[in-house]
Amino acid sequence: MKYILVTGGVISGIGKGIIASSIGTILKSCGLRVTAIKIDPYINIDAGTFSPYEHGEVFVLNDGGEVDLDLGNYERFLDINLYKDNNITTGKIYQHVINKERHGDYLGKTVQVVPHITDAVQEWVMNQAKVPVDDDRKEPQICVIEASMEPLFLFQLGGTIGDIEGMPFIEAFRQFQFKAKRENFCNIHVSLVPQPNATGEQKTKPTQNSVRALRGLGLSPDLIVCRSAKPIEMAVKEKISMFCHVEPEQVIFIHDVSSTYRVPILLEEQGIIKYFKQRLNLPIDDQPSDLLMKWKKMADRYERLLKVCSIALVGKYTKLSDCYASVFKALEHSALAINHKLDLMYIDSTELERSTEAENSVKYHQAWHKLCKADGILVPGGFGIRGTEGKLQAISWARTKKKPFLGVCLGMQLAVVEFARNCLNWKDANSTEFDPDTKYPVVIDMPEHNPGDMGGTMRLGKRRTVFKTQNSVLRRLYGDETFVEERHRHRYEVNPELTHCFEEKGLKFVGHDTEGNRMEIIELENHPYFVGVQFHPEFSSRPMKPSPPYLGLLLAATGTLNAYLQRGCKLSP
């Protein structure tokens, strides 16, 4: 097993996840089996209870793990399926060690950070690195480990409050590099090269300090990946090489690019395959296979797109795009598949509500203007009552104006509520999440829902959805399969006792769970595309395999859905 540790310096959010994913993609293109592990130093057991504004979206895995969104990057880039144990947190490690202590596994010894916590980190990494993540179920050969510990280096420099929880992980990998042996362990350090507007000069001092701090903790970078807004000059590369004690070919530059699909290409062009072959003694050719060539063609095609399709995303976490990272990627994959550039317009659902019109009429009319000019409308998942009335307004607009619409999770539930209020004339219809005493509880909490603990108590992970009819647009988009398996994350469901009332009026429940009790897919008759899904298809979308519900939305928004279906669900060249 070969291990590649990716650390970060100077600031967080400079693209460690994309770079780690891109490195994995390059190695996979060389015929190697690659897995990935993400280390987060927070004390939470998992990401399930985070506000999206804290760490972005919560990504859900097949096994129901609620994890950091970077695992979504790994899955999309590498086309693999990871597990909840591929996301290590301080909380998980400490819980694991404390449970062992309670069981008496340490035989009365004093349990300490070193060696017990650090040993637990190393054992976890070694065990999880062996777990197959590809469809062929073979053991991986390369494990890319991303460690989120940038604030630690700022602490070492005395700049800001330090991320003290990250110290055990640094120490664990300081020890691990000797346990794994040099030919099996490589450290890549991702740093920022800022360019202040005042001088226009690219500054290397933050990178020098970051590398010095890392070395002081016992880890020496083999590769330094420098992030910058613009391409970095050769003089800057030579300066970093000199002051950070690495060869010039060990300094890699990644500037801001038009799409993340370009990052693996930039890394490959700077000789990273040749370096890994020599440094880790890998049995590979110097040149990548067809897989990376496909990435290059995809990146080139993305940059040449001329036709635009606009989608309005109506949600409550619109101030931070990472809150809907997988939704954006699923839309982007689908737009690319039909040779369109995606114009995603984020609309705060509260700004569509009448209360906003009274408080700030400009915001209200701007939000409605964006909604009206969109080619399609998407209402994603979410929790809580804030903004639900605005989402209902958007759904009503999509239904009555025959705008292509996709509702995901809460978006599907609200589509049912909207239909009940305006087509069945159940004016008080609601979800018991928002009104426990509603006269028409069209969305109810599930029997197994535990209202006590919040973490890990939802219906999570991959579940099977069975199509109940041949006459379904989504079934045809899925290739006329009798069932699909997609990932779920919800506590509430459509009330199965009331579904016959909706079906009589044209809102069909075309997909159920395997027992036939849970409503999974809705489709509205006599509408270009009005679809709701209880699951989250965005988590399974891949750059070269777009998600069918999202692809259907983009096809309908561009007026090509019927032609696509008539061609037998084959994309035009």
Side-chain angles (χ1 to χ4, degrees):
M1 177 67 67
K2 309 290 184 180
Y3 300 92
I4 298 173
L5 175 66
V6 180
T7 56
V10 184
I11 61 170
S12 61
I14 56 173
K16 276 196 327 302
I18 295 297
I19 288 166
S21 303
S22 299
I23 288 166
T25 301
I26 289 170
L27 293 171
K28 186 168 183 176
S29 77
C30 295
L32 298 170
R33 296 185 298 277
V34 184
T35 187
I37 292 174
K38 174 72 189 296
I39 295 177
D40 287 301
Y42 46 69
I43 299 175
N44 304 63
I45 298 298
D46 59 32
T49 55
F50 278 142
S51 161
Y53 284 135
E54 286 284 321
H55 286 270
E57 75 169 2
V58 177
F59 191 81
V60 179
L61 303 171
N62 279 347
D63 65 355
E66 297 173 287
V67 296
D68 186 88
L69 60 83
D70 274 322
L71 274 80
N73 286 326
Y74 306 155
E75 287 203 344
R76 285 187 286 268
F77 271 69
L78 299 171
D79 194 17
I80 55 177
N81 291 303
L82 298 171
Y83 300 90
K84 57 187 174 186
D85 285 345
N86 287 81
N87 193 190
I88 303 175
T89 68
T90 295
K92 282 183 182 177
I93 294 294
Y94 274 78
Q95 185 181 63
H96 173 71
V97 170
I98 289 169
N99 287 342
K100 287 181 71 176
E101 186 274 330
R102 292 290 84 187
H103 292 150
D105 293 356
Y106 296 116
L107 303 176
K109 290 185 178 180
T110 303
V111 181
Q112 297 176 293
V113 172
V114 181
H116 300 101
I117 294 295
T118 53
D119 284 353
V121 172
Q122 295 173 63
E123 288 168 15
W124 195 305
V125 167
M126 288 189 292
N127 291 335
Q128 197 59 31
K130 297 175 184 175
V131 176
V133 293
D134 281 308
D135 292 337
D136 61 10
R137 311 307 300 160
K138 291 182 179 178
E139 186 177 309
Q141 298 162 292
I142 304 277
C143 180
V144 180
I145 306 158
E146 181 195 344
S148 290
M149 292 172 276
E150 300 88 341
L152 176 67
F153 304 127
L154 290 174
F155 175 75
Q156 293 295 318
L157 300 171
T160 65
I161 295 172
D163 187 356
I164 207 160
E165 300 100 331
M167 286 298 289
F169 293 107
I170 291 285
E171 174 59 21
F173 284 105
R174 186 196 67 78
Q175 299 172 18
F176 186 72
Q177 65 186 327
F178 302 111
K179 184 182 292 187
K181 307 297 182 189
R182 175 174 166 76
E183 65 271 18
N184 298 322
F185 183 87
C186 178
N187 178 208
I188 298 174
H189 191 59
V190 183
S191 185
L192 177 70
V193 177
Q195 189 170 3
N197 289 332
T199 64
E201 183 185 358
Q202 292 172 328
K203 297 293 185 180
T204 64
K205 191 63 74 178
T207 296
Q208 294 177 43
N209 289 336
S210 180
V211 171
R212 187 182 303 119
L214 185 62
R215 280 211 173 91
L217 295 168
L219 286 170
S220 293
D222 297 289
L223 286 175
I224 300 173
V225 178
C226 299
R227 288 282 293 109
S228 61
K230 297 176 181 178
I232 293 177
E233 299 160 8
M234 185 54 64
V236 176
K237 180 173 185 172
E238 291 169 353
K239 190 174 182 181
I240 291 171
S241 167
M242 181 178 11
F243 286 103
C244 294
H245 309 291
V246 294
E247 295 290 334
E249 58 266 24
Q250 292 172 260
V251 181
I252 306 291
F253 294 152
I254 302 294
H255 59 273
D256 291 350
V257 287
S258 58
S259 82
T260 54
Y261 308 128
R262 183 63 65 187
V263 178
I265 313 303
L266 286 177
L267 289 169
E268 189 271 331
E269 287 172 350
Q270 296 180 67
I272 203 168
I273 294 177
K274 184 179 178 182
Y275 179 80
F276 280 136
K277 181 182 178 180
Q278 295 171 347
R279 174 67 179 77
L280 296 174
N281 194 24
L282 296 175
I284 57 176
D285 296 326
D286 288 348
Q287 297 300 318
S289 68
D290 292 341
L291 177 61
L292 204 58
M293 293 303 103
K294 288 180 181 176
W295 273 86
K296 188 175 189 312
K297 288 178 182 176
M298 185 168 62
D300 291 342
R301 191 156 56 91
Y302 181 89
E303 291 170 2
R304 289 198 303 262
L305 295 174
L306 297 175
K307 292 182 285 186
V308 177
C309 179
S310 60
I311 299 294
L313 188 154
V314 183
K316 60 189 285 190
Y317 308 114
T318 55
K319 292 182 177 65
L320 180 66
S321 60
D322 272 356
C323 296
Y324 299 109
S326 290
V327 170
F328 170 71
K329 287 298 178 185
L331 289 167
E332 188 179 62
H333 299 161
S334 297
L336 185 58
I338 62 171
N339 296 312
H340 278 69
K341 186 168 282 191
L342 175 68
D343 176 19
L344 184 57
M345 300 182 290
Y346 292 96
I347 300 176
D348 187 333
S349 56
T350 59
E351 294 177 3
L352 298 172
E353 297 174 358
R354 288 290 182 186
S355 57
T356 302
E357 184 181 22
E359 296 167 6
N360 190 331
S361 62
V362 173
K363 268 189 178 180
Y364 174 81
H365 289 294
Q366 285 176 341
W368 271 102
H369 177 69
K370 282 201 283 188
L371 185 75
C372 294
K373 73 176 185 178
D375 299 316
I377 297 170
L378 170 69
V379 177
F383 298 92
I385 193 169
R386 184 176 69 82
T388 52
E389 289 303 318
K391 293 175 185 177
L392 288 167
Q393 293 285 339
I395 293 167
S396 182
W397 172 268
R399 180 181 58 79
T400 55
K401 302 299 181 183
K402 298 196 181 297
K403 283 276 187 182
F405 165 80
L406 175 62
V408 175
C409 196
L410 177 63
M412 167 185 151
Q413 295 171 4
L414 291 177
V416 171
V417 171
E418 189 278 331
F419 193 89
R421 290 182 181 180
N422 297 318
C423 297
L424 302 183
N425 207 29
W426 297 350
K427 296 303 180 186
D428 295 330
N430 213 331
S431 166
T432 56
E433 179 182 4
F434 313 128
D435 183 3
D437 302 318
T438 177
K439 184 178 177 182
Y440 298 104
V442 295
V443 177
I444 58 175
D445 56 337
M446 296 181 292
E448 66 269 40
H449 170 214
N450 178 358
D453 290 340
M454 295 292 286
T457 57
M458 289 184 274
R459 183 170 177 247
L460 293 162
K462 187 167 76 171
R463 311 282 177 132
R464 180 169 292 189
T465 295
V466 180
F467 287 105
K468 293 298 182 181
T469 175
Q470 294 276 355
N471 186 26
S472 162
V473 65
L474 208 52
R475 177 171 180 164
R476 294 172 69 186
L477 286 166
Y478 272 105
D480 206 28
E481 299 285 348
T482 56
F483 67 87
V484 295
E485 291 183 324
E486 295 279 10
R487 301 175 187 182
H488 292 67
R489 185 177 186 249
H490 64 112
R491 288 192 180 94
Y492 294 83
E493 62 176 339
V494 173
N495 190 340
E497 295 180 3
L498 301 175
T499 54
H500 63 280
C501 301
F502 293 90
E503 299 226 332
E504 289 169 4
K505 292 288 188 177
L507 187 67
K508 303 295 184 182
F509 294 90
V510 300
H512 301 173
D513 70 347
T514 50
E515 285 77 37
N517 298 324
R518 292 211 161 98
M519 304 302 114
E520 294 278 357
I521 304 172
I522 62 168
E523 292 180 9
L524 182 62
E525 291 182 339
N526 303 317
H527 193 286
Y529 191 80
F530 191 96
V531 172
V533 291
Q534 184 58 71
F535 46 82
H536 288 266
E538 63 270 18
F539 295 143
S540 303
S541 183
R542 303 287 186 263
M544 299 177 198
K545 291 186 286 187
S547 166
Y550 285 90
L551 181 60
L553 176 65
L554 269 291
L555 286 165
T558 55
T560 56
L561 177 58
N562 289 335
Y564 175 76
L565 296 174
Q566 288 166 8
R567 287 195 304 269
C569 294
K570 293 180 181 177
L571 293 167
S572 58

